[in-house]
Amino acid sequence: MAERTAPLLLLTLAVGLAGGSQGDREPVYRDCVLRCEERNCSGDALKHFRSRQPIYMSLAGWTCRDDCKYECMWFTVGLYLQEGHRVPQFHGKWPFSRFLFIQEPASAVASLLNGLASLVMLCRYRASVPASSPMYHTCMAFAWVSLNAWFWSTVFHTRDTDLTEKMDYFCASAVILHSVYLCCVRTVGLQHPSVASAFGALLLLLLTGHISYLSLVHFDYGYNMMANVAIGLVNLAWWLVWCLRNRRRLPHTRRCMVVVLLLQGLSLLELLDFPPLFWVLDAHAIWHISTIPVHTLFFRFLEDDSLYLLKESGAMFKMD
């Protein structure tokens, strides 16, 4: 089999057809999936597949076709390694070893831990910061938006479908935009609430347009990345400039500076695109793991800053 398929592997490696990823463009992979579906995914064979499929797999939405793709992915990877070629990607992803029904175990667990860290810090913020603090409601909204994003990140890395992929991407965009709004409220909105409200409406309009384009016109991965990077850079620069200008007057802004610089540095991990170690741990999973303490540190900053603003507003009220 290897002797027959080697020329096909070399041909695909050399030509690089447009669309898809290297692995799922491979004729060997496509032929394997087609034969597997013909053999297992219709008639009595499909009934047999469903009868022996674990209940947790069916509840997670794993179909006979999905199982064929999974098995044929590893068959193709084996051929690539046997012929001394680099491990290919399939449908935009590295091959991951499935655990139970979880498609990307390391990234799913890391996303879950990020979500739990956000939940713990949200509860801590609510317990330590009175609702009368000027930033209380904005910070709480940001915490819930972040928690929602980590929920969908966990779901997406557990089971990659069109819906879970879109929800993961859209909720991540919402977090970035809400962080920009949070910065606007803190730096401008406390003195000029109408400006913050108008800016918030603009950001909501941008998010709506972004989601509408990707959902109704064309789901463009390149555009989505460029849009998030552009907004992320605005977010980074705005927070960093404000922190530098206030670092002496507000010592707790050092936490915010550390968070901004760490997130920028850790994002470089995404450039280290390598096949997953032990077929589980890739650069994206490592990035998710590394952000757990960073989010905790940012919420500590929000807590300290909210308490400072509460104290300052109380002092001003006494002066009046």
Side-chain angles (χ1 to χ4, degrees):
M1 180 68 177
E3 292 179 359
R4 183 176 71 83
T5 56
L8 292 174
L9 293 171
L10 292 172
L11 177 63
T12 308
L13 282 166
V15 175
L17 300 174
S21 298
Q22 182 68 48
D24 55 89
R25 291 200 305 260
E26 180 59 59
V28 173
Y29 170 79
R30 294 188 175 190
D31 182 62
C32 175
V33 172
L34 181 62
R35 291 177 181 276
C36 177
E37 288 180 349
E38 290 175 348
R39 188 170 57 250
N40 299 305
C41 299
S42 60
D44 291 337
L46 179 59
K47 293 179 181 178
H48 178 66
F49 167 82
R50 289 173 175 168
S51 67
R52 62 184 175 83
Q53 185 185 36
I55 184 67
Y56 57 80
M57 293 292 285
S58 59
L59 289 175
W62 286 94
T63 65
C64 180
R65 177 175 171 79
D66 293 329
D67 255 31
C68 283
K69 288 181 176 180
Y70 182 76
E71 297 299 332
C72 291
M73 175 184 74
W74 288 115
F75 172 71
T76 307
V77 167
L79 292 177
Y80 267 70
L81 294 176
Q82 185 177 335
E83 296 299 322
H85 302 304
R86 188 172 184 266
V87 175
Q89 290 190 345
F90 294 81
H91 306 286
K93 291 177 174 287
W94 292 111
F96 290 94
S97 183
R98 194 170 60 192
F99 176 70
L100 298 177
F101 58 87
I102 303 174
Q103 196 164 348
E104 300 176 43
S107 289
V109 171
S111 296
L112 178 62
L113 291 176
N114 272 284
L116 289 175
S118 295
L119 180 61
V120 168
M121 296 309 294
L122 183 154
C123 294
R124 172 180 168 139
Y125 184 90
R126 287 184 64 181
S128 60
V129 179
S132 55
S133 175
M135 287 292 294
Y136 178 86
H137 296 291
T138 307
C139 290
M140 285 297 298
F142 175 75
W144 282 113
V145 170
S146 298
L147 193 59
N148 177 65
W150 286 118
F151 169 78
W152 282 108
S153 177
T154 304
V155 172
F156 169 62
H157 290 301
T158 297
R159 184 72 176 94
D160 179 1
T161 66
D162 286 342
L163 174 62
T164 60
E165 180 183 49
K166 286 182 171 64
M167 291 304 297
D168 176 49
Y169 283 23
F170 297 162
C171 292
S173 298
V175 171
I176 299 172
L177 287 169
H178 204 290
S179 181
V180 176
Y181 175 68
L182 183 70
C183 186
C184 175
V185 173
R186 180 60 183 92
T187 59
V188 179
L190 295 180
Q191 293 77 32
H192 308 283
S194 59
V195 174
S197 298
F199 188 69
L202 175 62
L203 292 178
L204 187 59
L205 188 62
L206 287 175
L207 180 62
T208 303
H210 180 70
I211 292 174
S212 299
Y213 173 74
L214 291 175
S215 301
L216 304 176
V217 181
H218 174 53
F219 197 86
D220 188 330
Y221 292 93
Y223 155 74
N224 181 70
M225 178 176 289
M226 287 177 61
N228 284 325
V229 168
I231 298 298
L233 289 174
V234 170
N235 183 50
L236 180 150
W238 198 340
W239 275 115
L240 192 58
V241 168
W242 178 78
C243 289
L244 288 171
R245 292 181 62 182
N246 292 276
R247 66 186 185 280
R248 290 193 177 89
R249 187 171 63 89
L250 305 174
H252 59 268
T253 57
R254 293 170 186 170
R255 283 201 180 106
C256 183
M257 281 194 289
V258 171
V259 168
V260 169
L261 295 175
L262 275 177
L263 285 178
Q264 182 67 11
L266 291 172
S267 64
L268 297 177
L269 285 171
E270 294 281 43
L271 301 178
L272 303 176
D273 200 18
F274 54 84
L277 303 173
F278 310 108
W279 306 116
V280 173
L281 192 65
D282 69 335
H284 187 69
I286 294 172
W287 178 70
H288 274 328
I289 293 169
S290 66
T291 58
I292 297 171
V294 177
H295 290 297
T296 302
L297 191 62
F298 187 61
F299 275 102
R300 287 290 304 277
F301 157 72
L302 293 179
E303 178 185 334
D304 291 344
D305 193 53
S306 295
L307 290 173
Y308 162 79
L309 289 171
L310 180 65
K311 183 179 178 181
E312 186 183 58
S313 62
M316 290 179 64
F317 179 77
K318 288 180 181 179
M319 287 176 63
D320 292 341

